[in-house]
Amino acid sequence: MRHSRCSVALVSSAVAPAKEANATGPKAVELVLVKEQNGVQLTNSTLLNPPQSCAEAPDRETWSKKADFLLSVIGFAVDLANVWRFPYLCYKNGGGAFLVPYLLFMVIAGMPLFYMELALGQFNREGAAGVWKICPILKGVGYSAVLVSLYIGFFYNVIIAWALHYLFSSLTAELPWTHCNNSWNSPRCSDARAPGSGDNDTRTTPAAEYFERGVLHLHESRGIDDLGPPRWQLTSCLVLVIVLLYFSLWKGVKTSGKVVWITATMPYVVLLALLLRGVTLPGALDGIRAYLSVDFHRLCEASVWIDAAVQICFSLGVGLGVLIAFSSYNKFTNNCYRDAIITTSVNSLTSFSSGFVVFSFLGYMAQKHSVPIGDVAKDGPGLIFTIYPEALATLPLASVWAVVFFLMLLTLGIDSAMGGMESVITGLVDEFQPLRRHRRLFTLLVVLTTFSLSLFCVTNGGIYVFTLLDHFAAGTSILFGVLMEVIGVAWFYGVWQFSNDIKQMTGQRPSLYWRLCWKFISPCFLLFVVVVSIVTFRPPRYGAYVFPEWANALGWAIAASSMSVAPIYAAYKFCSLPGSPREKLAYAITPEKERERVDRGEVPQFTLRHWLVV
């Protein structure tokens, strides 16, 4: 007998009594031949739920505990950018005033998009591509998300390898970036900063030279066209990262759900320890005061609102297929609305509270060198691999604090990298059944692929490849993907139908506020951010290095490769369907479960009511 997707998996060869799966509603009985024993055919009868319970297909593994899911989502959303990006943006854009546009965009766009992705994955029980059975012509949006997640893995794993390298380097009595008499130091190395020198000072600190010359060996490269061989120290760290990722993912959420109990919770313990230490340092209050100083006049500047909008999109991790993949392993009746509120709130609070940690140390550094806060405040890798190590090196028990700090970076990076890899694995395994039977082998293939291409980022000129990928692979392409996603769900599939799906799961239809956000506010917000990201585009730079034209062209090709997947697949799907152009379009935009309605000539998407209802 051929089993449908909703048939019940049998584990016993004896006749089992039928169990009532649902106390209410119609039932269907399925008789399944189990085996023949001594000439007698044994069967098993099972009561099936109504069709909507197909979403609880038994062959789909689920999280062992609800906490596994929450920690996985929090661990993915709370990443290195919460430490190195948000506090700097807050300081740069009017301090506490920056929270006004940030919280506004979080409420009208961040939370609704986060909620939408969790509900989409949980109801359809599929990865980023599979969920588009709700609108087959847009399945390319899912493949685009998988591709972007893969691209991010090429360079994000390198940050974790850097943190691991620093962690090993901290296991010494004296940290290697405390002075200038190392083999990698240049004549420009100086232990002191000149007051008011800012960016015009040609001298460099021991911490900065350790990162660029001792770790990256950037001085041995002339640019992106002179990469050199992979550095064995960084390559070894990268191998350890890949091994850790593989054994965290190889058995699916059963293993990754256990790993996040360490990787998602440890950063908070470390942040608390660093905060308690940081606020006791001289100058810490000056740094915190600079972080929180309110300048409401800055709200009149468009750049402040743009920074807040972009930060919301990237900090929550929407559009990468990770939230869809994680929620697809939830129980069908899980309260995804509550999960969305909890995780987005934790993400924002973590970003805000990490600013106190960062700026307490920046205030200490500014006072120590008698320079303004602006001379030491920066974002990106420069903050966590030069400024922070420099501050830690001046403390008593410096090696202990350095180990603690880089353990935090390691755990922050690992669970975010796990989320990206899970998006790729789940998204493709759900689409191609042979991969499901060989998940462990496919997981190995994915991590080895990311490792192979990450090798370009651990060469002498690897930081240039890293910068190029960071600038192009995870920028406009993500925003474009999320825009297409919300249009597909709210307009093509329909907000009303999507709300019905959520009611089936949680027992309650989303309020008018959420439906309005999905239908109108979030799409307009995303369109604004996409246009702004294109209009305000600046070619990537690393320090004083300007990338050649061919490198920028390569970067745009990488961005276009992911953005073009959606229209290319849409064209393929339309052309491959039978019938007249009208029939093709009807089948392409109608959910797969409603094909019979199209056969009867009933296409809700061809009615005005479908597009207007909220």
Side-chain angles (χ1 to χ4, degrees):
M1 176 178 179
R2 185 176 69 86
H3 292 259
S4 69
R5 183 174 176 78
C6 298
S7 59
V8 177
L10 301 174
V11 296
S12 173
S13 62
V15 179
K19 294 184 179 179
E20 189 168 314
N22 196 341
T24 60
K27 307 291 192 300
V29 179
E30 179 183 65
L31 293 175
V32 182
L33 176 66
V34 180
K35 72 177 183 178
E36 185 172 320
Q37 181 176 335
N38 298 327
V40 179
Q41 289 184 339
L42 302 179
T43 62
N44 194 347
S45 61
T46 308
L47 285 176
L48 298 180
N49 287 333
Q52 63 263 32
S53 67
C54 291
E56 294 251 37
D59 60 342
R60 184 77 171 183
E61 64 176 326
T62 57
W63 299 96
S64 299
K65 299 178 182 177
K66 174 64 177 289
D68 292 357
F69 166 71
L70 286 176
L71 288 175
S72 295
V73 174
I74 291 172
F76 165 71
V78 177
D79 66 352
L80 295 167
N82 291 76
V83 176
W84 80 28
R85 181 69 176 157
F86 177 86
Y88 175 77
L89 286 178
C90 198
Y91 163 74
K92 188 184 81 168
N93 291 305
F98 181 72
L99 296 177
V100 174
Y102 177 82
L103 292 176
L104 173 65
F105 290 148
M106 174 63 77
V107 171
I108 68 172
M111 285 183 173
L113 292 171
F114 203 93
Y115 181 18
M116 183 190 75
E117 288 205 349
L118 292 186
L120 190 62
Q122 182 173 309
F123 182 82
N124 293 284
R125 310 284 284 173
E126 299 271 3
V131 295
W132 288 104
K133 57 190 176 185
I134 65 173
C135 184
I137 199 171
L138 291 180
K139 181 175 281 190
V141 175
Y143 287 126
S144 175
V146 169
L147 188 57
V148 171
S149 292
L150 189 63
Y151 286 163
I152 292 175
F154 295 159
F155 67 90
Y156 196 85
N157 294 340
V158 176
I159 305 176
I160 309 173
W162 292 342
L164 195 57
H165 186 286
Y166 269 81
L167 177 62
F168 291 146
S169 300
S170 301
L171 301 175
T172 57
E174 183 181 43
L175 295 174
W177 54 83
T178 54
H179 51 73
C180 291
N181 59 348
N182 299 289
S183 59
W184 57 79
N185 290 126
S186 71
R188 296 190 299 119
C189 182
S190 173
D191 293 333
R193 294 174 182 262
S197 57
D199 295 333
N200 297 321
D201 189 8
T202 59
R203 294 182 297 175
T204 56
T205 63
E209 290 213 343
Y210 178 75
F211 179 55
E212 292 198 341
R213 299 173 67 90
V215 176
L216 303 181
H217 290 261
L218 185 60
H219 60 290
E220 299 180 29
S221 171
R222 296 188 300 273
I224 195 170
D225 50 359
D226 178 32
L227 296 179
R231 307 298 307 188
W232 71 265
Q233 298 95 332
L234 288 178
T235 302
S236 302
C237 292
L238 190 60
V239 169
L240 291 177
V241 171
I242 293 299
V243 169
L244 185 56
L245 283 175
Y246 175 73
F247 285 106
S248 298
L249 295 167
W250 71 320
K251 290 186 179 179
V253 296
K254 298 298 182 184
T255 52
S256 64
K258 300 297 180 291
V259 174
V260 293
W261 280 86
I262 298 174
T263 58
T265 57
M266 182 178 288
Y268 291 97
V269 176
V270 176
L271 279 173
L272 178 61
L274 290 172
L275 176 62
L276 295 177
R277 183 66 182 97
V279 295
T280 63
L281 297 172
L285 293 181
D286 294 333
I288 293 173
R289 194 176 297 116
Y291 172 52
L292 295 178
S293 61
V294 178
D295 182 5
F296 284 111
H297 295 292
R298 297 296 306 278
L299 296 180
C300 299
E301 301 176 16
S303 61
V304 175
W305 294 82
I306 292 170
D307 281 346
V310 173
Q311 176 65 14
I312 286 294
C313 286
F314 292 136
S315 67
L316 293 178
V318 292
L320 297 173
V322 179
L323 303 178
I324 293 175
F326 280 162
S327 63
S328 72
Y329 297 110
N330 275 335
K331 290 181 171 59
F332 185 71
T333 55
N334 176 65
N335 190 338
C336 53
Y337 169 70
R338 182 179 56 199
D339 294 344
I341 299 299
I342 291 174
T343 49
T344 52
S345 300
V346 169
N347 179 277
S348 297
L349 288 173
T350 303
S351 296
F352 180 65
S353 59
S354 66
F356 291 92
V357 179
V358 171
F359 274 85
S360 63
F361 277 87
L362 291 181
Y364 163 65
M365 290 298 296
Q367 178 169 313
K368 180 177 177 60
H369 294 289
S370 301
V371 297
I373 293 271
D375 283 4
V376 294
K378 59 174 67 177
D379 65 342
L383 173 65
I384 60 175
F385 291 114
T386 59
I387 300 298
Y388 234 92
E390 182 181 354
L392 295 173
T394 64
L395 301 179
L397 300 175
S399 295
V400 174
W401 286 109
V403 167
V404 168
F405 177 72
F406 290 112
L407 269 176
M408 180 190 72
L409 296 187
L410 186 64
T411 53
L412 278 173
I414 281 291
D415 45 19
S416 296
M418 284 166 50
M421 292 296 97
E422 189 62 59
S423 171
V424 176
I425 295 165
T426 299
L428 297 179
V429 162
D430 285 347
E431 280 299 290
F432 304 101
Q433 293 302 315
L435 297 180
R436 178 174 296 184
R437 293 193 296 270
H438 305 284
R439 178 188 168 103
R440 295 184 185 184
L441 187 60
F442 180 63
T443 301
L444 179 62
L445 177 63
V446 171
V447 297
L448 287 179
T449 300
T450 60
F451 169 74
S452 300
L453 292 169
S454 295
L455 288 175
F456 288 101
C457 295
V458 295
T459 57
N460 294 335
I463 190 66
Y464 301 125
V465 180
F466 173 91
T467 303
L468 194 72
L469 287 171
D470 183 36
H471 200 81
F472 286 102
T476 305
S477 53
I478 295 179
L479 301 173
F480 175 76
V482 183
L483 176 62
M484 296 297 295
E485 182 181 290
V486 72
I487 290 174
V489 172
W491 289 86
F492 284 90
Y493 185 54
V495 156
W496 191 258
Q497 181 59 53
F498 186 55
S499 299
N500 286 339
D501 295 346
I502 294 175
K503 185 178 181 181
Q504 283 188 45
M505 295 187 293
T506 65
Q508 186 173 3
R509 180 186 297 278
S511 67
L512 179 62
Y513 169 77
W514 297 105
R515 302 199 303 271
L516 286 173
C517 285
W518 290 327
K519 187 86 171 185
F520 301 110
I521 300 175
S522 293
C524 292
F525 167 82
L526 287 165
L527 182 61
F528 163 74
V529 178
V530 168
V531 171
V532 164
S533 69
I534 295 174
V535 171
T536 61
F537 171 79
R538 291 187 181 89
R541 299 172 64 99
Y542 182 79
Y545 178 76
V546 178
F547 285 78
E549 289 299 322
W550 68 264
N552 288 319
L554 177 62
W556 276 114
I558 293 172
S561 66
S562 57
M563 289 190 288
S564 63
V565 172
I568 290 175
Y569 183 88
Y572 157 75
K573 187 68 177 179
F574 183 83
C575 294
S576 63
L577 290 169
S580 65
R582 179 184 173 85
E583 291 171 332
K584 288 174 179 283
L585 182 60
Y587 282 115
I589 63 177
T590 301
E592 291 179 359
K593 64 182 179 181
E594 299 178 5
R595 286 294 179 86
E596 295 79 6
R597 299 184 63 181
V598 178
D599 295 336
R600 297 194 303 265
E602 301 174 8
V603 185
Q605 286 82 354
F606 286 173
T607 64
L608 184 61
R609 182 181 183 279
H610 172 84
W611 299 96
L612 296 181
V613 69
V614 178

